[in-house]
Amino acid sequence: MLKIAIIGTGSISSAHIEAYLQFGSRCRIVAVANRDIDKAQQQLDHFGLKAKIVSDYKELLNDDIDLVSICTPPYTHAPITIDFLEAGKHVLVEKPMASSLAECDAMNEAARKNGRILSVVAQNRFKSPMMKLKSILDNQMIGPIVHAQVDSFWWRGHSYYDLWWRGTWEKEGGGCTLNHAVHHIDALLWMMGRPSELVSVMTNTSHDNAEVEDLSIAILRYQNGALAQITSSVVHHGEEQQLIFQGAKGRVSLPWRVAASSARPNGFPVPNTELVDEINAAYDQLPDVPYEGHAGQIDNVLTAIETGEPVLIDGEDGRRALELIVGIYKAASLGQSVQFPIEADDPFYEREGILTNAIHF
């Protein structure tokens, strides 16, 4: 029976608690930490749990705990994660992984040095349509990808940024690109890998109580010539979100849709219904995931602890997602193309460099 601690009892902690409760024969929540003891107690009461409550997570470092879920604001992720890894605990940390690439590297080094699992939440990978899309792309059913379109469209009202830690580079670490589009960005990297370079622009159109962006657009170039575009937003009514992949032979997307064309003698398109039917049949035959969202990822982490198998999403995956986001911020702030990888001597590698150089709206 694995022993679990929850650090931070804000809204996202509910997703973790609900997921752990699905695996009651494999794990048990034994402790929670929150600066507000009453808030922590309310969360435990809501779920009918009895567990140790502390106001300072450091009181748990020497306790008999196997796995820690970190559900605190992003700027706190690195020190808390490193402390628990150094104490010999496995860690599942919410997105975004950290506030800087320097912090990501320190977290990954702590995991390596102590032989512990570090997994970064990317629960959208653990959804049946996403897993099936990944399989279709990996099987090259649409041929090599030539273009990808990522629409991470969300809408948040003005008061959303009234929360004390939101809307600042220091505490939140960025705006919609970091905190909303991160899951779509992780998915794009999972499907296509790291680009070679990008350009971007960003703005704040509707939230004058935030110094971070509420809209950004990036264009990515890959080594093989493929292009991708990412729109990150909290100003899109309707919140339509999609991932579209155009291949040499056809097109697939989430929400699921397939299209394929063949050329007429004059080069104009005619529908390739045979390929469309083949892709749809392959998609339909793929199995659904046994657990969706946070439950799927927590099942994956528990299994890794129990068996020694690798997790699907580790600290390096979390770093790659943040590297792309930092690249978007750098390109938009400095008005220049950004090449990857972003190295340790880059002004945007450290948190202080981002605070100094990023556009403040």
Side-chain angles (χ1 to χ4, degrees), residues 5 42 49 101 143 177-178 181 198 324 339 350 358:
Q42 290 171 9
L49 295 173
L101 295 174
T177 316
L178 178 68
L198 66 77
L324 183 54
Q339 281 76 41
E350 300 270 0

Side-chain angles (χ1 to χ4, degrees), residues 124 150-155 184 238-243 254-255:
N124 284 1
V150 179
D151 293 338
S152 188
F153 293 168
W154 306 82
W155 190 91
H184 291 100
E239 298 192 316
E240 297 95 346
Q241 297 159 22
Q242 60 183 352
L243 296 163
L254 288 182

Side-chain angles (χ1 to χ4, degrees), residues 71-254:
C71 305
T72 54
Y75 74 99
T76 66
H77 287 178
I80 297 174
T81 295
I82 292 169
D83 282 346
F84 277 110
L85 290 170
E86 295 284 1
K89 323 299 184 188
H90 302 291
V91 172
L92 173 64
V93 61
E94 263 296 336
K95 58 80 182 172
M97 178 179 177
S99 298
S100 71
L101 295 174
E103 290 176 344
C104 291
D105 288 342
M107 294 160 75
N108 283 322
E109 176 56 29
R112 281 190 293 270
K113 183 177 70 173
N114 294 284
R116 300 292 91 182
I117 292 169
L118 171 58
S119 184
V120 181
V121 172
Q123 77 271 16
N124 284 1
R125 288 202 204 179
F126 294 91
K127 293 184 177 180
S128 295
M130 190 73 77
M131 286 285 190
K132 291 182 178 185
L133 175 64
K134 170 67 170 170
S135 180
I136 294 297
L137 293 176
D138 286 350
N139 288 338
Q140 293 275 300
M141 296 193 74
I142 65 168
I145 298 170
V146 298
H147 178 256
Q149 177 181 334
V150 179
D151 293 338
S152 188
F153 293 168
W154 306 82
W155 190 91
R156 293 294 183 268
H158 191 270
S159 60
Y160 177 77
Y161 286 104
D162 288 342
L163 187 62
W164 65 274
W165 58 269
R166 284 195 188 128
T168 67
W169 288 103
E170 181 182 6
K171 293 293 192 293
E172 195 174 17
C176 57
T177 316
L178 178 68
N179 294 293
H180 288 79
V182 60
H183 290 302
H184 291 100
I185 288 171
D186 171 76
L188 176 67
L189 290 168
W190 191 35
M191 306 293 178
M192 290 187 65
R194 175 201 274 161
S196 57
E197 62 178 321
L198 66 77
V199 293
S200 64
V201 291
M202 64 183 181
T203 185
N204 184 317
T205 68
S206 308
H207 301 88
D208 60 9
N209 56 343
E211 64 183 19
V212 296
E213 86 289 352
D214 60 15
L215 176 64
S216 74
I217 300 174
I219 300 174
L220 289 57
R221 182 193 300 275
Y222 285 81
Q223 199 68 47
N224 64 357
L227 298 179
Q229 62 195 72
I230 303 170
T231 301
S232 310
S233 169
V234 286
V235 299
H236 274 70
H237 298 274
E239 298 192 316
E240 297 95 346
Q241 297 159 22
Q242 60 183 352
L243 296 163
I244 303 174
F245 295 91
Q246 299 282 354
K249 296 189 292 185
R251 166 257 203 237
V252 292
S253 67
L254 288 182

Side-chain angles (χ1 to χ4, degrees), residues 254-312:
L254 288 182
W256 181 249
R257 182 181 160 227
V258 185
S261 300
S262 298
R264 298 179 189 273
N266 62 1
F268 282 78
V270 60
N272 184 344
T273 56
E274 183 178 347
L275 179 57
V276 169
D277 291 344
E278 181 184 343
I279 293 172
N280 275 322
Y283 181 90
D284 291 339
Q285 290 168 10
L286 291 167
D288 289 339
V289 298
Y291 302 101
E292 293 252 339
H294 278 81
Q297 183 155 6
I298 283 173
D299 172 54
N300 181 253
V301 174
L302 295 177
T303 299
I305 296 172
E306 294 161 347
T307 66
E309 296 176 2
V311 291
L312 178 62

Side-chain angles (χ1 to χ4, degrees), residues 8-29:
T9 56
S11 59
I12 196 62
S13 68
S14 296
H16 288 247
I17 294 171
E18 289 169 356
Y20 285 118
L21 291 177
Q22 292 189 47
F23 306 107
S25 64
R26 301 165 66 190
C27 65
R28 179 166 62 92
I29 297 171

